[in-house]
Amino acid sequence: MIIGIDFDGVLNELLDTWVAWLNKNYHEPKVKTEDIKQWHFFKYFPELTEDELFAPLFVPEFWDE
């Protein structure tokens, strides 16, 4: 079985959900999705570790959104 995940925003808006999750759980002041101009959006969260940046992907409730 092959399972595909859309990360580029064509089929879903993963970036909106990801940024909202990071804002809610870690970041102040809030980053706006519309201010992000490149896929490598992690530079907008320089204080977060790699584990913190990817944490939402391991939270089942994140995928419900």
Side-chain angles (χ1 to χ4, degrees):
M1 175 183 348
I2 297 174
I3 298 174
I5 299 175
D6 173 47
F7 280 100
D8 63 359
V10 173
L11 299 176
N12 69 39
E13 290 298 330
L14 180 63
L15 185 61
D16 291 341
T17 306
W18 202 334
V19 169
W21 197 94
L22 292 174
N23 280 331
K24 176 182 166 190
N25 290 281
Y26 297 116
H27 201 264
E28 194 63 45
K30 304 297 184 205
V31 173
K32 295 178 183 173
T33 306
E34 59 267 14
D35 295 334
I36 297 175
K37 304 296 183 200
Q38 59 179 316
W39 173 242
H40 188 72
F41 69 94
F42 303 135
K43 76 175 197 163
Y44 295 92
F45 298 91
E47 73 285 358
L48 299 183
T49 66
E50 185 174 318
D51 287 342
E52 291 169 331
L53 289 167
F54 286 99
L57 302 180
F58 300 98
V59 176
E61 294 80 17
F62 172 78
W63 295 103
D64 292 342
E65 295 185 37

